[in-house]
């Protein structure tokens, strides 16, 4: 019997742990339907703001030798567009459960209004609240303001009763892992997603001596190979600090079965693919599935749970 990639997340069983990262191949219904028809185990909508946004001026994405840099500015079709879609997918026969719904209000008031609408709606699936939006000019990241994070979660869980997780920015200091974990453990979160892109990198076009992005004077979020060590560190740090009931979604630098295995070994339950999906399209999920299974079978594992979180230290 070969290895199974079955993944158990919040009471649902997925054929494999792979998903798109919110922001990649999930803007329109057509793109979401392509994800639904792909080999991805699950999928998530574009982070929705209360009203539709065009996003930042172009060029706002650039491929690099080791990944990507972007300053998208949350372009999306608006909350109602995505809520209607995820409700329509509920209960539909097939291999996937309803898609995850990602939301990112431009203010605390917007977040509370959006989550209030979800709470009152027929949507029974998983919601991701994006606390890490580094590419909106003039807007700080909630996830780097610990007092604000605690205030937001306190207000949200005063009324929100459905499955909810948060997407976090990367942290770089043990003290910050400790502080954020202490805050997150106070609330009935379903998961944390580690990590969003590393904010405010800069990439230079040497030939023309100019930045490659137009918004924010060229500053943008870094993704791809660059960020995998940071992503693995954040997955591991929160896996070892959070209550067992809070699952981890690993995001950052996943483009091969080895990358996936490492995220799972560090403690992730589901895995999101961003830069590699943008560059290679939905066919990447079939490749990731095959490569992860090959590694597991070579190592003698028949299920992910046999090695998840069991990273050894020297």
């Amino acid at each position: 019997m070969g290895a199974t990639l079955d993944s158990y997340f919040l009471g649902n069983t997925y054929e494999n742990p792979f998903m798109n990262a919110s922001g990649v191949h999930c803007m329109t219904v057509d793109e979401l339907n392509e994800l639904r028809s792909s080999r991805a185990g699950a999928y998530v909508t574009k982070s929705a703001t209360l009203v539709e946004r065009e996003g930042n001026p172009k060029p706002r994405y650039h491929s690099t030798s080791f990944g990507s840099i972007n300053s998208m500015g949350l372009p999306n079709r608006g909350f109602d567009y995505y809520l209607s879609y995820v409700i329509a997918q509920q209960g539909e026969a097939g291999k996937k459960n309803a898609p995850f719904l990602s939301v990112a209000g431009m203010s605390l008031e917007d977040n509370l209004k959006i989550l209030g609408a979800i709470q009152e709606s027929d949507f029974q699936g998983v919601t991701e609240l994006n606390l890490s939006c580094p590419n909106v000019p003039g807007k700080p990241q909630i996830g780097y303001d610990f007092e604000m994070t605690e205030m937001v979660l306190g207000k949200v869980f005063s009324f929100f009763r459905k499955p909810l997780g948060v997407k976090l920015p990367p942290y770089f200091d043990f003290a910050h892992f400790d502080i954020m974990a202490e805050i997150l453990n106070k609330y009935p979160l379903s998961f944390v997603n580690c990590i969003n892109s590393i904010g405010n990198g800069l990439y230079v076009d040497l030939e023309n001596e100019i930045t490659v992005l137009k918004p924010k004077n060229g500053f943008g979020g870094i993704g791809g190979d660059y960020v995998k060590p940071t992503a693995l560190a954040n997955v591991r740090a929160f896996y070892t600090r959070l209550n067992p009931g809070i699952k981890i979604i690993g995001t950052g630098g996943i483009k091969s079965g080895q990358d996936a295995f490492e995220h799972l070994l560090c403690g992730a339950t589901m895995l999101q693919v961003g830069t590699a999906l943008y560059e290679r399209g939905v066919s990447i999920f079939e490749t990731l599935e095959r490569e992860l299974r090959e590694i597991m079978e070579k190592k003698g594992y028949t299920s992910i749970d046999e090695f998840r979180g069991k990273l050894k230290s020297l």
Side-chain angles (χ1 to χ4, degrees):
M1 179 180 175
T4 175
L5 302 187
D6 285 356
S7 298
Y8 309 99
F9 187 76
L10 308 185
N12 293 319
T13 301
Y14 300 92
E15 288 191 3
N16 64 64
F18 297 110
M19 306 174 61
N20 65 302
S22 180
V24 182
H25 209 94
C26 55
M27 172 83 82
T28 66
V29 165
D30 287 345
E31 288 181 330
L32 290 164
N33 285 338
E34 287 180 8
L35 288 169
R36 181 164 59 90
S37 300
S38 75
R39 287 301 304 165
Y43 60 118
V44 61
T45 66
K46 185 78 174 71
S47 289
T49 51
L50 196 58
V51 296
E52 184 172 2
R53 285 177 58 87
E54 288 294 324
N56 291 340
K58 298 178 180 179
R60 57 193 186 186
Y61 178 95
H62 183 81
S63 298
T64 72
S65 302
F66 297 101
S68 64
I69 183 170
N70 83 88
S71 181
M72 302 299 289
L74 283 173
N76 72 97
R77 297 295 176 88
F79 168 65
D80 290 341
Y81 180 91
Y82 300 106
L83 181 63
S84 298
Y85 178 82
V86 296
I87 290 175
Q89 302 309 310
Q90 289 186 152
E92 183 178 281
K95 71 183 180 69
K96 292 185 175 68
N97 295 274
F100 293 19
L101 176 61
S102 182
V103 300
M106 300 300 292
S107 66
L108 173 58
E109 292 72 23
D110 282 1
N111 278 326
L112 296 178
K113 188 171 183 178
I114 288 170
L115 291 169
I118 296 171
Q119 178 64 35
E120 296 301 318
S121 76
D122 293 330
F123 180 58
Q124 300 301 320
V126 180
T127 300
E128 173 186 272
L129 175 60
N130 192 340
L131 297 181
S132 173
C133 298
N135 298 322
V136 178
K139 299 289 184 179
Q141 293 192 50
I142 294 174
Y144 285 146
D145 185 332
F146 299 121
E147 291 182 3
M148 176 63 74
T149 296
E150 187 156 16
M151 184 182 76
V152 169
L153 293 178
K155 289 181 179 294
V156 166
F157 283 109
S158 69
F159 66 87
F160 200 83
R161 299 291 179 265
K162 295 179 178 180
L164 180 70
V166 291
K167 187 168 188 175
L168 297 176
Y171 299 97
F172 305 95
D173 192 292
F174 281 115
H176 293 162
F177 291 137
D178 293 339
I179 294 168
M180 181 54 74
E182 183 178 358
I183 293 169
L184 298 174
N185 279 331
K186 295 178 183 180
Y187 300 97
L189 285 163
S190 297
F191 69 91
V192 298
N193 186 344
C194 304
I195 57 172
N196 205 337
S197 57
I198 296 178
N200 292 325
L202 187 67
Y203 199 85
V204 173
D205 175 349
L206 177 63
E207 182 68 25
N208 296 300
E209 302 179 14
I210 194 171
T211 60
V212 297
L213 303 181
K214 184 176 179 60
K216 296 172 62 177
N217 295 315
F219 285 69
I222 300 297
D225 292 358
Y226 296 111
V227 309
K228 190 179 78 166
T230 299
L232 293 176
N234 277 256
V235 168
R236 189 63 181 170
F238 284 109
Y239 179 78
T240 56
R241 287 168 172 78
L242 293 178
N243 297 330
I246 304 177
K247 302 304 180 185
I248 311 289
I249 296 178
T251 307
I254 298 175
K255 68 175 186 181
S256 70
Q258 177 180 330
D259 302 325
F261 187 93
E262 291 173 3
H263 269 268
L264 296 166
L265 188 66
C266 287
T269 296
M270 300 294 284
L271 306 172
Q272 293 187 355
V273 185
T275 297
L277 171 59
Y278 188 99
E279 300 294 340
R280 294 161 58 182
V282 297
S283 64
I284 192 173
F285 293 114
E286 185 175 353
T287 302
L288 292 171
E289 190 178 20
R290 183 187 71 251
E291 291 181 354
L292 176 58
R293 184 176 282 109
E294 288 172 352
I295 291 173
M296 289 171 59
E297 291 175 349
K298 184 177 180 180
K299 288 176 169 288
Y301 294 120
T302 59
S303 73
I304 291 172
D305 284 339
E306 291 175 8
F307 66 90
R308 182 202 321 286
K310 295 183 179 179
L311 177 70
K312 298 184 284 286
S313 298
L314 292 175

